[in-house]
Amino acid sequence: MKNYYQLLEIQRTATPQDIKRAYRKLSLQYHPDKNQGQPYFNDLFIQIKEAYEVLSDDIRRKNYDAALDILIRQPHQKEEEFVQPVIDFFYINTNTFKIGDVIEFRWKTHFADTVEIRPFGKVPSEGIKKFRITHAADFIMVELVALNTISRRYAMSSIQINNTSEKQRRPEMIADDQHHYESLNQQFPGVDIRHFQRERLLSIYGRISARDYIGRVLSILFFGYCIAKIGNVHQRTDSMLFMITFGLLFTGLIINTIKRLHDTGQSAQKAVLLFIPVVNIFFILTLCYQKGDAKINRFGVIPNRYQNK
């Protein structure tokens, strides 16, 4: 990992104004036009520009400083192991499309040796490219994945574009989806392929956003309260029917809790806490307020319907 502070000849305590002044000074000094286009100065000028782009952004500077601290504390480690790919931007020229339309993508990444726009394929680390949509479902979730194969770290950004054409989905799109799932499963062999599929109401596979999880939990509690009140009013109501109804509600709560555990990257075995009534409410509230993980983990990727949230 390059030391951007040394490249700009500043201290780590430098203010944004110091960084800007140092960049202006060095960019003028090493500009290719002033050095007859010599390759050394061209490369140095690019590195100085790269250092300024990272250090002038508060979030990227914070991430870079964290990686630099790890290198300082663990000098025996290879510095390549701490390189975190960064997506500078990922834009698209439209949010809707029809079959046959050409869509333009613009992107820029850093510290990544493999960049892919899914489902279209591999692309350079930065650039502008157009793709023609030949077939699609109601929408396409386009993902930009920047991977550093040495550190085995990646960054991902996604954009959803909606299909406004009246044509029906062509059957081969299902095969394309299956191929996409299989390619992900090859990259992450420890992940069940079903976890790559979108979340369904009565399936433990997939993930669920905090907002939907809270809504479903409140709905389950509301229905349980209504059933309990009905049981108190109608004393002769069959108790077996109530047991079956509460069992179904409890099963729904466990299913949604497992999906919320998937979203936060935790083990689904923690759902056994639901069988301990005293800690149920604290466990559910904890899952409601935990931050979800939009990256690929051992449970798969976040479902398409939640990727923009």
Side-chain angles (χ1 to χ4, degrees), residues 59 142 197 203 263 283 296:
I59 297 176
V142 184
Q197 300 173 4
S203 171
D263 187 51
F283 179 54
I296 295 177

Side-chain angles (χ1 to χ4, degrees), residues 30-282:
Y30 296 110
H31 197 280
D33 293 342
K34 291 189 175 182
N35 296 279
Q36 290 79 41
Q38 296 182 26
Y40 170 78
F41 292 105
N42 289 346
D43 183 60
L44 185 59
F45 178 77
I46 293 172
Q47 293 183 50
I48 290 171
K49 183 180 179 182
E50 182 181 284
Y52 173 71
E53 290 176 349
V54 172
L55 297 183
S56 61
D57 185 281
D58 292 339
I59 297 176
R60 294 172 65 184
R61 182 180 181 182
K62 182 178 179 181
N63 294 335
Y64 173 79
D65 286 344
L68 199 61
D69 289 336
I70 293 175
L71 284 178
I72 294 173
R73 290 196 302 267
Q74 301 180 15
H76 61 283
Q77 295 285 346
K78 295 180 180 179
E79 61 182 29
E80 292 86 357
E81 296 178 1
F82 302 100
V83 176
Q84 172 65 48
V86 176
I87 296 177
D88 200 351
F89 60 82
F90 180 40
Y91 298 135
I92 190 171
N93 65 339
T94 179
N95 291 324
T96 60
F97 69 93
K98 293 183 179 180
I99 302 299
D101 285 354
V102 176
I103 299 178
E104 182 180 274
F105 295 92
R106 296 170 179 262
W107 72 95
K108 184 177 182 181
T109 64
H110 302 282
F111 317 125
D113 51 18
T114 300
V115 181
E116 183 179 358
I117 296 182
R118 297 172 177 169
F120 301 106
K122 293 184 178 180
V123 293
S125 59
E126 63 177 288
I128 303 172
K129 197 164 186 178
K130 297 180 179 180
F131 297 98
R132 183 179 297 276
I133 307 297
T134 57
H135 56 272
D138 295 334
F139 63 89
I140 298 178
M141 186 60 65
V142 184
E143 300 172 341
L144 176 66
V145 181
L147 172 68
N148 188 297
T149 55
I150 299 176
S151 65
R152 296 185 63 82
R153 299 188 180 191
Y154 67 93
M156 183 169 63
S157 178
S158 61
I159 300 175
Q160 177 176 314
I161 49 177
N162 298 310
N163 187 356
T164 58
S165 61
E166 297 180 357
K167 294 184 179 181
Q168 297 295 322
R169 182 179 184 181
R170 291 168 59 178
E172 57 264 29
M173 189 59 190
I174 299 175
D176 290 345
D177 287 346
Q178 186 65 24
H179 176 71
H180 176 56
Y181 295 146
E182 290 175 356
S183 65
L184 288 174
N185 202 28
Q186 290 175 0
Q187 297 178 43
F188 304 90
V191 179
D192 191 317
I193 193 171
R194 289 171 292 184
H195 289 299
F196 291 121
Q197 300 173 4
R198 62 183 297 178
E199 182 263 346
R200 292 179 175 83
L201 186 63
L202 298 178
S203 171
I204 63 172
Y205 297 103
R207 298 182 177 183
I208 184 172
S209 66
R211 186 181 67 181
D212 289 81
Y213 178 63
I214 294 172
R216 293 183 190 181
V217 169
L218 292 178
S219 299
I220 290 171
L221 295 177
F222 174 74
F223 283 121
Y225 173 77
C226 292
I227 293 170
K229 294 292 288 185
I230 293 173
N232 289 332
V233 174
H234 303 283
Q235 297 291 337
R236 296 182 181 180
T237 305
D238 187 2
S239 60
M240 182 61 69
L241 178 62
F242 275 85
M243 290 177 61
I244 293 173
T245 306
F246 275 112
L248 292 174
L249 291 174
F250 190 66
T251 302
L253 183 60
I254 292 177
I255 288 174
N256 285 278
T257 299
I258 290 174
K259 285 187 284 196
R260 185 62 187 149
L261 286 165
H262 290 185
D263 187 51
T264 55
Q266 302 179 55
S267 172
Q269 295 175 354
K270 289 185 178 180
V272 74
L273 292 175
L274 286 177
F275 291 98
I276 308 174
V278 178
V279 299
N280 277 0
I281 187 65
F282 298 102

